[in-house]
Every structure is written in C-alpha cells, then in structure tokens.
Amino acid sequence: MGENIRTALSSIWGNKVRSLLTLLGVVIGVTSVTTLVAVGQGVKNDVSGLIEGLGTNIITVVSGKIDTSNSGNTNPANFVSGDILTQSDVTALQALPSLQSVSPIALVSGELKVGALTSQPVLFGTTSNIAQSFDIIKVDSGRIFKDTADDQKSIVLSSIAATTLFPGETAIGKQVTVGTEVLTVVGILSQPKSSSLFGNQLSTLSLVPFNEATVLNKGRVTISRMYAKAFDTQQVNDVKRQMHDVLLKAHGGEENFTVLTQDDILGIFSQFLNLATAMVSAIASISLVVGGIGIMNIMLVTVTERTREIGLRKAVGATQGAILIQFLTEAVVVTLVGGILGLLLSWVIAQIVAAQTPLQPQFTPQVIALAIGISIIIGAVFGLWPAMRAARKDPIEALRYE
Amino acid sequence: MSIISLTNVSKNYLLDTVEVRVLKDVNISIKKGEMVAIMGPSGSGKSTLMNMIGLLDRPTSGTLRLDGKEIRLTMSDKALAHLRSEKIGFVFQSFNLLPRLTALANVMMPASYAGTASGVAKEKAIEILGRVGLKDRVTHRPTEMSGGERQRVAIARALINNPEIILADEPTGNLDSKSGKEVMQVLRDLNNEGKTIIIITHDQTIADYCSRTVRILDGAVEERHG
Ligand SMILES: Nc1ncnc2c1ncn2[C@@H]1O[C@H](COP(=O)(O)OP(=O)(O)O)[C@@H](O)[C@H]1O
Ligand SMILES: [Mg+2]
C-alpha cells in the first residue's frame, strides 16, 4: 500500500502538466463545494449566534403569510410588506398576560446629519419598551425616549453614529437632523458584539419614537414587524399560539401575518441556505463528474502505458486483487491530491471572502471531511473501471506488449 | 522425484477461427537441481512451454505437476498467483525492470506479493544484490546501469521469494557476450547452490553451461542428453 501511494505520487510528479490538467475538474469541484459549505456553516453559525444573542423568548410578528413548515415556498417579499399590522394589534397583544412586552417596529430610511457630518443608520421607529423586548438593545449612556408627545423629537444613537457625528465630544443633548426633522440625542446604545454578518446592521441601529417615525415616513403609519417577549422561555410555542389566535381575531379571520419564534426564523434561514447549497452543489457536482471522467481517462492511459509492468507484477505473484487495489489506490491518491489542492484553494478564497465581506466562512472538521470524502469517492468510482481493466489483463500478452 | 513434470501436454491457440496447435503432446520431466537449456527455432513453442511451467498459462490438455502437485485447469487465478510467487522466479530477455524504481525497490517488489514485511524484504534484497555482484548499485535506477547489471538485478528479483525454480527466457538475448557470460556465471552459481534452472536460448555456448538440452521443433520435443 505504501508502495502504491509512492508510485502514484511519483507518477503525478513525473507528469506535472498532465496531472494538473487532469486534476483541474476535481480541484474546481472540491473548491466550490467546500467554499460553499464553509460559507453556509459560517452563515448558520452567525444566525444561531445572533438568535442566541437576542434571546430565545423573543417572538416576532411579520406581515404576510410565511410557510414555516419546511416545504420551501417562502416568499421573501413577504418580509418587507408594511401596512397589515396595526397599532391595535400591538394593543391587543399587550393585553396577553404571557407577554412581558410588545414593541412595534417602523423602518425609516434617511441619513443622520450634524453640520457636514453624516452617518447611515438602520433607523427603527419603536416604543420605549424595545430594550425590554430585545435583549441585544442596551442603552450605554443617557436614556431611551419616553412614549409621550413632549419626548417625540428624540433620538437614541448607535455608538458608531455617536462617534461619527460627534467626534471627541458627548452626543447627549446635542441635535441631529433626519430629513426635515431636528431631533435631540437622549441616549447612546452600546455596541452589539454578537454576530459578524448581522453585526454590521445592528451596530448602526438607531432608534426614534414610533410617532416620530410616522412623521419621518410622511404620515404613513407602517408597522413592518413587532417584537414581543414572552415571560417564560419554556413556553414560547404556547405563547406563539396565543398571539396567533389574538391576531387572527383582530384581522377578522384573515391570516395575513406570521408569528415566528426564534426557532422558526432559524428554520427559514436553514431553508434558504439548504436551497442555495443544493443549487450550487448541483453545479459543483457537474465539475466533479467532469473531473472524474478526466481521472478515468488518465487512468486508462496509465494502465495502457504500464501494460508490461502489469504483466511483470502478475508474473512475480500479484493477484488480480492486488493489481486492482494498486490502480485504485493510484486513482484515489490522484483525486486526493486534487481534493487537498481544492481545500487549500477554498481556504484561500474563504480568507478573501472573510476580509472583503461580512461572511465568515467556517472550516469545520465536517467541511474538511467532506472535501476528503468527495475526493476519495470520485477516485474510487472513476478509478474502478481502469483498475478492473488492469487486473484482468492476461500476463503473457501484457509481457509481450510493446 | 522430478520437480517439474509435463505429461502429454498440448496447447492450442485460437487464431481467428483456426485452432493452432502450438505444443503437441509434450512429455518432459525435470529433476530438482537440474540446469536445462531449451533450444529451438523461433516460433517453435519455447516461450509457450515456459509460460506453462511458470503457471502464466494453462495447458489445453495433459497434466502439469510442480513439486509433485498437479496443477489443475480449474485452479483459480489467485491460487496460481500464490504458487507462482512461492515457487517460481522469472528472468526475461528484456529485463522488465520498472524504470521509476531503484534496483533495491525492483528486487523487493515480488516480496510484497508474498506477504513479506518490507523491512525483512529490504535486508534480503540488499543481501541478494550483493550476491549477484551489485552491492554498489543498490540505489541506482535501471537507466543508470548496463545491460548486464540490469539482468543481474532481474535475477536478484527472481530470487527474493526464494523459489526453487528459475525460468529464464533468452536471458542473454539483449546482452553482449561478456555480460552474457557474467549472467550465465550467476545462474551457474545458483544452480550449484541447488536451484532448478531452465533457460531458453538460441545460443549453443549458453546451452553448454547446462547439463541437459531439450530441443523443440514445431511444438514437439526431442531430447538429447549431454
Ligand atoms: N496468444 C497467442 N495466440 C495465438 N498464437 C500464439 C499465441 N502465443 C503464441 N502463439 C503462437 O505460438 C507459436 C509459438 O510461440 P512461442 O512459444 O512464443 O515461440 P518461441 O518462444 O519458441 O519463439 C508461435 O507461432 C506464435 O505465433
Ligand atoms: Mg520466445
């Protein structure tokens, strides 16, 4: 076996250009599959990290009907539709004793300005209980706004916005312009540290009172989602059902909203991720098959070139099985080299992706095992037929071969 | 008792649709420790006979016995491979060394098929290479050696599993007369140590090293003692 591996490596080394061309398919296939899976793992990691950071007793209500039962026909457009949830829904939910707090969220677009300085925020219009509903939102200094009319012209800045707009000075008490509105900074949020992919978004999160959001959105009251927090972590699914029933009644029996636990959200992400993985894997597997055919071709050439060697080995006592294993090992070593190259290439790509994008690909042991496993299988499957041809050669004819 | 015995052995080949009789009722008996030359014109069936004795080929009819054991037509490839590995060492006209491997690795190669541990095989291979006068060529590759040296590596390879029978098909056919003589001297020494040796040759001076000559003409054996 050791000798077989050495023979394989030396024949790869002896025909560098040919080997490289042969390996290209396998390298590309393994690179794409491992990069994809590593990115997927990174995203999954991120999402579960985020959800853990948010707390598992948070329940989200979004407008539109989302099918969370793994059948995969979720329409992402439903996430952004905005005039189905109403203020009375919030009130109805707040009446539920199992809920600690319910916060409506209105998305506001616009930039923050102080003189010539600007900052692009994720701007939420919400109520003062948001910090209760959402563990990740913490006031670092100052306070959250009150829900009263006299505190409506207030804003709570992200720590990033605060340092961008007020470099070297305290932001609290100062004024910020959003659109045509001038708002007073009452508090600064602490920098969330949870997730890299969503951290970017969360780290620029600034908050204005819900009614102020309506003003900024030119009078349109749009609740794009609601965050509710259950008292009991163990009973989120019960609470979810209660919320669903309350909302269904409030919407006159029309199910144009979805109540999601953190597990549901994770499930939806997994669905998307699995779909994307399946699609790219299908493309990658084409290159693996092409690579495999390349290996088969090169192994058939090798077997023919080494006909005399096969005859000799049989003459000195090699059984058919020994010859079969020899050439199968060679094919597997070749694809394994391709797989390792692919893995290295994919690692390099992952470093670039990690540096240039919020994605953080994860090279878990499973990803490495997948790359190694794929290469071994490709080598074994596509090396079998050439190895069988080698094993079945008649020793006398093989020895006479020129 | 004879170590090799062929009784009424015939071999037919199917050429297109015509059956060609390459060996015709051959009867040969070779005793342990004999050194036998097989001579005959090209195409007379010498190599076919040797392949039969070396278990690379099976007779169409007749009986072949090695060491008293009848080689049955029904024996599996695996069983034949094991017998070959245990009892027979081949030496070819064209050496058939693997060009990528050193002399040492070439000599060790059959040991792996006999299940010998590589450490043991290595020691043995070095010892045998010394015996055929190639102590200084252990790490050389075939391309770095003369024809005579290559053939001695091939002989060392034939000896690694310590077989009782050495089959050499025109071992000096590709060598100049000086190298040929050296190779024959090695085979002669092995015979003196008790190996049974069968050599196919065209060359009477080679046959003169042997105690017995078997002549083949058109697939039939005629024997002359000398
Ligand atoms: N596989 C085969 N199929 C058909 N004919 C063969 C085959 N092998 C050998 N022969 C024929 O058998 C005869 C004897 O061959 P061989 O034993 O190689 O002769 P030698 O070694 O005496 O020169 C030749 O005529 C050869 O063409
Ligand atoms: Mg011949």
Side-chain angles (χ1 to χ4, degrees):
Chain A
M1 185 59 82
E3 193 218 315
N4 290 346
I5 293 169
R6 238 172 294 129
T7 311
L9 288 175
S10 83
S11 75
I12 291 174
W13 197 245
N15 298 299
K16 283 187 230 19
V17 175
R18 186 169 93 179
S19 306
L20 201 68
L21 289 174
T22 313
L23 287 178
L24 213 55
V26 176
V27 173
I28 292 170
V30 170
T31 304
S32 38
V33 171
T34 44
T35 307
L36 178 81
V37 174
V39 167
Q41 291 273 8
V43 171
K44 249 181 204 161
N45 225 30
D46 248 12
V47 171
S48 23
L50 175 74
I51 279 167
E52 230 151 72
L54 293 179
T56 49
N57 52 345
I58 292 183
I59 301 169
T60 309
V61 182
V62 296
S63 53
K65 173 88 186 84
I66 299 170
D67 186 2
T68 55
S69 69
N70 257 0
S71 57
N73 18 342
T74 299
N75 179 2
N78 287 335
F79 282 110
V80 290
S81 145
D83 18 35
I84 290 163
L85 301 174
T86 63
Q87 192 59 50
S88 63
D89 291 339
V90 179
T91 317
L93 288 178
Q94 271 164 342
L96 277 175
S98 51
L99 287 178
Q100 189 183 337
S101 62
V102 179
S103 310
I105 302 290
L107 294 175
V108 181
S109 60
E111 63 177 12
L112 309 177
K113 267 189 236 166
V114 175
L117 299 172
T118 61
S119 176
Q120 294 292 337
V122 170
L123 197 52
F124 276 9
T126 186
T127 48
S128 59
N129 61 0
I130 184 70
Q132 282 157 299
S133 302
F134 234 57
D135 290 344
I136 205 167
I137 294 176
K138 289 199 180 73
V139 178
D140 185 45
S141 59
R143 60 175 177 86
I144 196 106
F145 40 74
K146 295 197 255 337
D147 295 322
T148 51
D150 59 325
D151 210 23
Q152 193 184 312
K153 300 292 170 197
S154 304
I155 186 165
V156 178
L157 292 179
S158 63
S159 67
I160 288 185
T163 48
T164 310
L165 298 172
F166 303 100
E169 48 180 329
T170 55
I172 292 175
K174 306 267 165 49
Q175 294 196 318
V176 172
T177 308
V178 187
T180 54
E181 295 286 299
V182 177
L183 306 176
T184 306
V185 178
V186 295
I188 295 168
L189 296 177
S190 57
Q191 174 87 33
K193 55 177 175 303
S194 86
S195 145
S196 55
L197 183 53
F198 302 95
N200 276 356
Q201 235 194 354
L202 274 175
S203 65
T204 63
L205 178 66
S206 297
L207 306 171
V208 295
F210 187 80
N211 290 337
E212 185 57 25
T214 306
V215 174
L216 288 168
N217 285 336
K218 304 190 167 58
R220 266 195 338 133
V221 183
T222 56
I223 300 180
S224 49
R225 54 188 118 136
M226 295 187 270
Y227 292 119
K229 187 177 191 177
F231 277 109
D232 191 342
T233 317
Q234 305 305 312
Q235 280 164 16
V236 275
N237 282 316
D238 287 342
V239 178
K240 171 190 170 181
R241 221 163 297 126
Q242 291 168 18
M243 291 169 70
H244 177 264
D245 293 347
V246 166
L247 291 172
L248 195 60
K249 207 168 137 206
H251 287 229
E254 191 190 350
E255 192 155 357
N256 51 4
F257 60 89
T258 308
V259 184
L260 298 163
T261 62
Q262 298 294 71
D263 275 350
D264 294 335
I265 294 174
L266 200 57
I268 291 169
F269 265 104
S270 299
Q271 261 183 59
F272 279 131
L273 218 53
N274 292 346
L275 187 68
T277 309
M279 279 178 350
V280 185
S281 296
I283 296 164
S285 58
I286 293 171
S287 84
L288 283 173
V289 168
V290 171
I293 290 169
I295 296 296
M296 183 152 85
N297 189 44
I298 213 71
M299 286 310 294
L300 285 171
V301 171
T302 301
V303 166
T304 305
E305 277 177 355
R306 285 158 63 189
T307 297
R308 277 179 86 91
E309 173 184 335
I310 294 163
L312 171 78
R313 287 181 184 272
K314 287 193 156 187
V316 302
T319 57
Q320 293 196 358
I323 300 289
L324 184 86
I325 285 172
Q326 180 193 344
F327 283 93
L328 214 47
T329 307
E330 280 199 35
V332 169
V333 168
V334 170
T335 51
L336 207 51
V337 167
I340 289 167
L341 288 178
L343 198 56
L344 291 175
L345 194 60
S346 133
W347 187 82
V348 170
I349 292 173
Q351 299 309 302
I352 296 168
V353 167
Q356 302 290 327
T357 75
L359 295 170
Q360 295 299 317
Q362 295 275 312
F363 273 82
T364 56
Q366 289 95 310
V367 174
I368 294 165
L370 181 74
I372 305 280
I374 288 175
S375 344
I376 290 176
I377 289 169
I378 294 288
V381 167
F382 290 91
L384 187 62
W385 154 241
M388 276 165 62
R389 279 187 55 156
R392 287 183 185 157
K393 276 192 191 292
D394 173 51
I396 299 169
E397 271 169 36
L399 278 166
R400 227 191 271 134
Y401 182 86
E402 293 301 331
Chain B
M1 192 182 74
S2 47
I3 190 165
I4 300 165
S5 99
L6 287 80
T7 314
N8 296 328
V9 166
S10 295
K11 178 71 191 180
N12 299 351
Y13 280 119
L14 205 59
L15 255 185
D16 293 324
T17 52
V18 191
E19 218 165 12
V20 186
R21 199 140 202 234
V22 178
L23 291 178
K24 297 164 190 164
D25 287 327
V26 170
N27 289 285
I28 303 177
S29 174
I30 294 169
K31 287 201 251 328
K32 198 171 154 70
E34 271 194 293
M35 186 157 174
V36 181
I38 296 176
M39 296 189 78
S42 202
S44 55
K46 305 183 297 292
S47 295
T48 305
L49 177 64
M50 179 157 285
N51 290 337
M52 210 85 70
I53 295 170
L55 307 178
L56 288 172
D57 209 349
R58 300 164 200 246
T60 309
S61 64
T63 314
L64 169 65
R65 285 171 189 277
L66 274 191
D67 239 352
K69 187 178 171 177
E70 185 176 340
I71 308 303
R72 298 184 176 280
L73 289 170
T74 54
M75 275 177 87
S76 69
D77 276 318
K78 195 173 172 180
L80 289 178
H82 286 317
L83 270 176
R84 223 159 33 230
S85 158
E86 182 192 337
K87 297 205 183 297
I88 309 231
F90 280 99
V91 178
F92 305 92
Q93 177 175 359
S94 52
F95 322 132
N96 282 330
L97 299 177
L98 301 189
R100 291 183 309 273
L101 303 184
T102 61
L104 179 65
N106 267 291
V107 173
M108 284 170 65
M109 197 253 281
S112 68
Y113 298 120
T116 312
S118 79
V120 177
K122 186 174 178 178
E123 232 167 78
K124 216 164 140 192
I126 290 171
E127 190 257 322
I128 297 170
L129 279 167
R131 250 203 295 165
V132 298
L134 294 174
K135 205 167 69 194
D136 306 330
R137 296 286 183 274
V138 170
T139 57
H140 286 53
R141 278 167 220 281
T143 47
E144 300 158 348
M145 288 185 279
S146 72
E149 287 172 330
R150 288 185 214 182
Q151 195 60 301
R152 280 182 282 152
V153 173
I155 292 172
R157 180 181 62 196
L159 292 171
I160 189 77
N161 288 336
N162 200 25
E164 291 181 68
I165 304 164
I166 304 282
L167 302 178
D169 194 342
E170 306 195 32
T172 60
N174 284 2
L175 301 178
D176 59 68
S177 63
K178 182 171 168 285
S179 309
K181 265 184 199 147
E182 285 168 8
V183 164
M184 285 314 295
Q185 198 50 56
V186 170
L187 290 173
R188 179 88 245 186
D189 293 346
L190 288 171
N191 181 243
N192 288 337
E193 289 166 29
K195 300 275 183 216
T196 306
I197 298 182
I198 301 175
I199 301 168
I200 292 179
T201 183
H202 286 298
D203 187 342
Q204 187 56 51
T205 59
I206 299 298
D208 289 343
Y209 281 87
C210 303
S211 49
R212 177 180 163 198
T213 301
V214 174
R215 288 184 188 276
I216 299 191
L217 202 61
D218 264 345
V221 164
E222 50 180 72
E223 194 156 353
R224 190 191 307 163
H225 290 268

